[in-house]
Amino acid sequence: MITLKLLCFGITKEMVGGFEKTIDLPEKSSVADLLVSLKTQYPELVKLNSLRVAVNEEYAEDSLVLNHRDEVVLIPPVSGG
């Protein structure tokens, strides 16, 4: 089992009920596995048309394998003007 620190920005903070969470996943889980788990636990996340993930301050591909104590950031779509 690995434990991740999850930071949520923008609308994702409201969707998961806070800025910072701790998430446990099986060893050798990928970013894609994390997203499936999060969307199951927090169904509101499914409504986002895009959601970027950063791991340890770098954008991550879905195939990236996560490690114990990684810091994962959810970055929602941004609009501005």
Side-chain angles (χ1 to χ4, degrees), residues 31 51-62 64 73 75:
V31 169
L51 179 63
R52 294 294 313 259
V53 175
V55 178
N56 300 325
E57 300 182 8
E58 293 188 20
Y59 284 109
E61 298 295 324
D62 286 349
L64 179 73
V73 178
I75 305 165

Side-chain angles (χ1 to χ4, degrees), residues 58-77:
E58 293 188 20
Y59 284 109
E61 298 295 324
D62 286 349
S63 61
L64 179 73
V65 175
L66 299 164
N67 296 298
H68 185 62
R69 296 190 178 162
D70 277 347
E71 181 180 82
V72 178
V73 178
L74 296 184
I75 305 165

Side-chain angles (χ1 to χ4, degrees), residues 16-50:
V16 304
F19 170 69
E20 186 174 323
K21 298 278 185 177
T22 300
I23 303 292
D24 292 321
L25 290 175
E27 288 193 32
K28 299 184 181 179
S29 291
S30 67
V31 169
D33 297 326
L34 169 66
L35 289 173
V36 168
S37 176
L38 289 173
K39 289 176 180 179
T40 299
Q41 192 171 359
Y42 305 105
E44 289 288 307
L45 291 173
V46 175
K47 295 178 182 178
L48 297 177
N49 59 4
S50 69

